[in-house]
Amino acid sequence: MSSSPPTIAIIAPGAMGAAVAHKFTKSGCTVLTTLEGRSPASVERAKAAGMEDAPLNVIAQRAAWVLSILPPSSALSFAEQFKKAYDEASPNAKLAFVDCNAVSPETAKRVARVFDGSAVRFVDAGIVGGPPTDNYDPAFYASTEPGDSNLLDEFIALGKWGLRVVPLRGEGAGVGDASALKMSYAGMTKGFIGLTTTMILAAHKSSPATAQALMHELQYSQPAFLERITRSVPGMLPKAYRWVGEMEEISSFVRDGLGEGEARVHHGFAHLYDRIEKSLPDGEDVAVLKKFVEDAKAVIRDGK
């Protein structure tokens, strides 16, 4: 295996994608992206991370790895778009496409099927954690078809250039299982935020006094919950629009495994996050949540 820095494409330069790109470029890798149609903020993030703009057909020719890091709703359409560009180019014969999106196992398998019959190799990956920093790295859980263990080894080897890969191997592991782990983890963490947000808003709809009493009871009997709310709810607000699709994917994952009734939990959270997004920046729901958080911080600080 070559020890020279690889050329990697990351689509797109959002907060996660740009931060991952920065880790790679600091290690000497060339990182490509495509900026066509991207916002000025995305263009600035790409430049700051040292990413190079290139059309998809050039990416297909130059890149050894293509990491798709997009909103869940764009995962399949981008794979199809890239496959079209790949077919029209003189592509890198060893190119691997890594779907890193928060999608259900079934969606991950649909993305993989886009490349059936081509030379493109496929890795299913799920990112657990926030954007990397100088002192922190999220985990890229990864799985491949059982016969592609060498590909999984190659993906793990990107750790040399700054990517923390955790392989999924063992009984039953294959394409879709890294996505299943991501769905399970996000279903818990973002589900907790959805649950607490729902009950804060419902308590306030009963009366502001009810919401205040809820806050004080949490401080008395569940202080760890209240502390977590003060950290998680503000961080959720600017991301709510992205979490709608993720909750729908989690709902699909649960439906396939457990049934329709159980799938309604995260389907409800999708409605909640859509409601929050529509309340931004200064709507009633957002104002209620911000006040609850500020009051909770004061109660925690004062120990009352």
Side-chain angles (χ1 to χ4, degrees):
M1 187 180 299
S2 173
S3 61
S4 60
T7 296
I8 300 164
I10 296 179
I11 313 294
M16 178 65 77
V20 172
H22 184 58
K23 296 283 283 193
F24 280 134
T25 57
K26 283 203 310 178
S27 298
C29 300
T30 298
V31 180
L32 308 176
T33 194
T34 182
L35 296 176
E36 182 179 359
R38 301 297 300 181
S39 69
S42 293
V43 173
E44 286 303 312
R45 279 193 297 266
K47 289 180 179 178
M51 304 171 85
E52 299 179 16
D53 185 21
L56 291 183
N57 64 324
V58 172
I59 288 173
Q61 293 169 350
R62 293 181 58 193
W65 300 91
V66 175
L67 275 58
S68 173
I69 306 177
L70 293 161
S73 59
S74 300
L76 181 59
S77 61
F78 171 69
E80 293 170 340
Q81 183 184 6
F82 180 77
K83 175 61 163 53
K84 184 174 185 294
Y86 179 90
D87 289 342
E88 294 172 353
S90 300
N92 183 337
K94 294 186 176 181
L95 184 146
F97 187 97
V98 187
D99 187 277
C100 305
N101 301 302
V103 296
S104 70
E106 183 53 41
T107 299
K109 291 173 184 177
R110 289 175 66 194
V111 173
R113 286 196 291 270
V114 169
F115 301 103
D116 281 354
S118 75
V120 175
R121 303 177 298 163
F122 184 82
V123 178
D124 171 30
I127 307 172
V128 172
T133 66
D134 289 340
N135 302 310
Y136 165 78
D137 290 300
F140 280 67
Y141 283 88
S143 59
T144 60
E145 291 297 348
D148 289 336
S149 60
N150 288 341
L151 173 59
L152 191 54
D153 290 337
E154 291 177 39
F155 189 52
I156 294 167
L158 289 181
K160 178 178 180 180
W161 312 108
L163 196 70
R164 179 185 167 216
V165 177
V166 182
L168 284 183
R169 288 189 167 113
E171 183 179 356
V175 167
D177 289 293
S179 290
L181 186 145
K182 168 65 175 178
M183 295 286 94
S184 301
Y185 184 88
M188 292 180 182
T189 56
K190 294 170 185 174
F192 174 87
I193 299 170
L195 177 61
T196 52
T197 298
T198 297
M199 301 324 299
I200 291 167
L201 293 176
H204 186 271
K205 285 293 183 181
S206 179
S207 73
T210 304
Q212 286 291 305
L214 173 65
M215 179 189 63
H216 285 285
E217 180 56 35
L218 286 172
Q219 170 63 4
Y220 176 75
S221 62
Q222 302 289 341
F225 274 24
L226 191 63
E227 173 66 32
R228 185 169 177 181
I229 287 168
T230 64
R231 291 182 282 106
S232 62
V233 169
M236 170 272 292
L237 295 176
K239 303 173 186 176
Y241 75 99
R242 287 170 39 205
W243 290 7
V244 175
E246 190 167 344
M247 293 301 107
E248 293 288 6
E249 290 291 325
I250 293 170
S251 180
S252 176
F253 165 56
V254 174
R255 181 181 298 110
D256 289 344
L258 300 178
E260 181 63 39
E262 292 81 354
R264 292 174 185 167
V265 175
H266 290 86
H267 183 69
F269 291 151
H271 279 275
L272 170 75
Y273 289 130
D274 182 61
R275 177 188 180 113
I276 297 300
E277 192 276 328
K278 290 175 179 175
S279 181
L280 289 167
D282 301 312
E284 179 184 357
D285 288 340
V286 169
V288 167
L289 292 170
K290 286 182 176 179
K291 184 177 188 306
F292 187 95
V293 166
E294 290 307 309
D295 289 349
K297 286 180 178 178
V299 165
I300 293 168
R301 183 178 62 249
D302 297 339
K304 298 180 179 178

